[in-house]
Each structure stands twice: as structure tokens, then as C-alpha cells.
Amino acid sequence: MFVDSHCHINFEGLAERMPDVLAKMREHQVTHALCVSVDFETLPSVLALAEAHENIYASVGVHPDHEDAKEPSVAELVELASHPKVVAIGETGLDYYRLEGRTIADMEWQRERFRTHIRAAHATGKPLIVHTRSSAEDTLRIMEEEHASVPGGVMHCFTEPWSVAAPALAQNFYISLSGIVTFKNAKDVHDVARRVPLERLLIETDSPYLAPVPYRGKPNEPAYVSYVGRFIAQLRELPDEALAQATTDNFFRLFKIARPEAGE
Ligand code: NI
């Protein structure tokens, strides 16, 4: 069985076909999914899915790309994270990919927002879901300055080279790989996929984005995390079942979710 550690099934394209999304998960032996929040405005739709479906979990956070979203405070994040299905803080982090004429110095609001999330993770004991794009050095530095290693978390949709994976692992973070790992030209991601200790590896879809081969360019959904898992198993020359078991165990351990009873 596989688990999707990061998806956005509350987004348009997936939300309106939820019965089918869940049926396809069952068909592909994808047992659980974590629906990740990107802002407070859409958080109710994330929580509603987690409340309606036993195998869907939620997070609370404001994405670094959502500049005009309501700015979260530590107290608000802590309060919202008390929901019984909320298992993580995020997604948060830094993204300097679209500076649009601004300098990195201008992005202080992102760094402040990231620090707020790390402080909320400390206060709640819940792990962080970290997004980093074109900003690895600052991401790692702020994680270190804010002592993100406790409670730790996951570097999601990881696309950085091993030189970034290694210090993230040293800070007690997991590495989560998306469908990008199945892309032929993703050499850095292939290298990371081979080298991350198995007990620190997670898999995700980040759906509706980034569908793995053979669905590249098409809408993505949690069922397709099985293609991500099988591809990594092949890279590591492991049986699919071993990769599935390890990444599923890691998911339950990191997000402190009680394991379902056998047969459930
Ligand atoms: Ni995401």
C-alpha cells in the first residue's frame, strides 16, 4: 500500500470528483492522503475533506507564494492546528523563483512568515511541511536559526541536489519526492532518490500538479503516487512492496498518526 504525503484535493478539478478520486486511490492501493493547506481562505475546504473521510488528513499553513493571503500569526496557527485531523504545520517555506523585479531583500515578509510557522510547529509539536524553491540556502539557515529540527518535518516536492538534502536530513527532516522523480531529465532528483536513507523518504503527488509519467502533463491525483513509489523502487533496486512499506511507515511516524488496525 502507498500513502500520498502531500496533495491538494480540495482544489478545482479534484474536489468536484471526490468519490472518483477516492475510488481510484483504492484501486491503486493508496490508502491515505494528506491534504495540505495553502492559505486560511481555503482551509475550510481542506478541513471538510479531512472530517468527511477517515483516510484523509489535513495541515494548516499559508504558502510562501500566496502573497496576498491573510497573514497568519503563531496564535492562529496553533489554534487551528488543534483540530483532531490536523497533523502538520504548512505548507510553508521560501520561494524566490518569481521575484518579479524584486530583490531577495524585498522578500523579508516570506522569511517572517516562515519563522511564524516554525514557531507554531514548536508550540504544537506538529511537524513542518516545507516548500523551498530557488531559496535553499535561506530555507536551511532559517530552519537552523529557529531550531526546526525539533519537531522536524518534511522537505516536500524536493527538487534540490544532494548538497541540500544532506543538511536537511541532518536537521531531522524527511525528504518527499513527487512525480518529478519520474521525469527523464531530473538527474538531481534521481540522485537524491537513490541516496536518502529509506527511513527518511516520503512520496507524494502534490496533485493536481506534477503528474508522474505516464500521466505527465495531465491532471494529477493521489492514486498516481503509486507510480512515484514504483519508480523509486526501481531506481533503488528494491521490491515495490519494500518501498511502499517504508514510505508508509515513515508517513505514520512523522505525522504521529495511529496505525489503522489490520483489515481496516
Ligand atoms: Ni503543495
Side-chain angles (χ1 to χ4, degrees):
M1 67 180 203
F2 294 99
V3 164
D4 186 356
S5 76
H6 190 119
C7 62
H8 302 284
I9 49 178
N10 60 312
F11 286 13
E12 209 183 285
L14 290 172
E16 63 272 25
R17 44 176 289 263
M18 198 49 52
D20 181 44
V21 167
L22 295 165
K24 267 177 105 171
M25 282 173 66
R26 283 191 294 274
E27 198 181 300
H28 289 252
Q29 292 177 297
V30 176
T31 56
H32 297 76
L34 174 47
C35 185
V36 173
S37 153
V38 294
D39 56 33
F40 283 176
E41 289 80 355
T42 57
L43 179 62
S45 65
V46 173
L47 296 180
L49 283 171
E51 285 162 8
H53 306 287
E54 193 258 332
N55 59 337
I56 305 295
Y57 291 87
S59 74
V60 170
V62 182
H63 195 292
D65 282 345
H66 291 228
E67 184 163 5
D68 298 326
K70 179 184 155 19
E71 202 57 44
S73 69
V74 174
E76 286 167 310
L77 288 166
V78 168
E79 155 90 40
L80 291 164
S82 68
H83 185 289
K85 292 296 286 285
V86 169
V87 297
I89 303 294
E91 63 183 278
T92 179
L94 300 178
D95 195 327
Y96 298 161
Y97 184 70
R98 284 190 195 85
L99 287 176
E100 283 158 5
R102 295 170 293 188
T103 66
I104 287 173
D106 296 332
M107 305 306 275
E108 188 55 28
W109 61 272
Q110 260 192 11
R111 292 183 287 274
E112 261 321 298
R113 186 185 282 181
F114 187 23
R115 290 181 194 278
T116 296
H117 283 80
I118 300 174
R119 288 166 193 169
H122 270 287
T124 58
K126 293 186 196 289
L128 288 153
I129 299 171
V130 173
H131 166 110
T132 184
R133 193 175 189 196
S134 308
S135 58
E137 206 175 304
D138 277 6
T139 302
L140 290 167
R141 175 177 58 80
I142 289 174
M143 284 164 54
E144 198 157 336
E145 287 173 3
E146 297 288 336
H147 309 285
S149 57
V150 180
V154 54
M155 308 299 285
H156 110 87
C157 194
F158 196 80
T159 52
E160 301 289 335
W162 180 251
S163 60
V164 176
L169 288 163
Q171 289 199 52
N172 193 32
F173 271 66
Y174 289 65
I175 303 289
S176 181
L177 301 179
S178 69
I180 292 175
V181 76
T182 68
F183 300 174
K184 205 186 244 167
N185 55 354
K187 297 297 173 207
D188 281 345
V189 185
H190 297 163
D191 180 50
V192 167
R194 288 193 188 92
R195 293 168 75 173
V196 174
L198 196 53
E199 68 277 9
R200 292 288 197 87
L201 181 67
L202 291 172
I203 52 175
E204 66 173 76
T205 58
D206 208 8
S207 51
Y209 315 115
L210 298 172
V213 172
Y215 300 105
R216 187 172 181 176
K218 304 225 171 72
N220 197 5
E221 58 179 278
Y224 298 163
V225 81
S226 53
Y227 293 91
V228 177
R230 289 201 185 92
F231 189 91
I232 299 172
Q234 217 163 56
L235 274 180
R236 296 180 70 120
E237 298 176 27
L238 279 174
D240 293 350
E241 194 45 47
L243 195 287
Q245 192 61 53
T247 51
T248 298
D249 288 349
N250 295 344
F251 175 85
F252 284 102
R253 185 186 326 113
L254 174 62
F255 296 113
K256 304 186 187 88
I257 300 171
R259 293 304 292 261
E261 297 299 322
E264 234 177 78

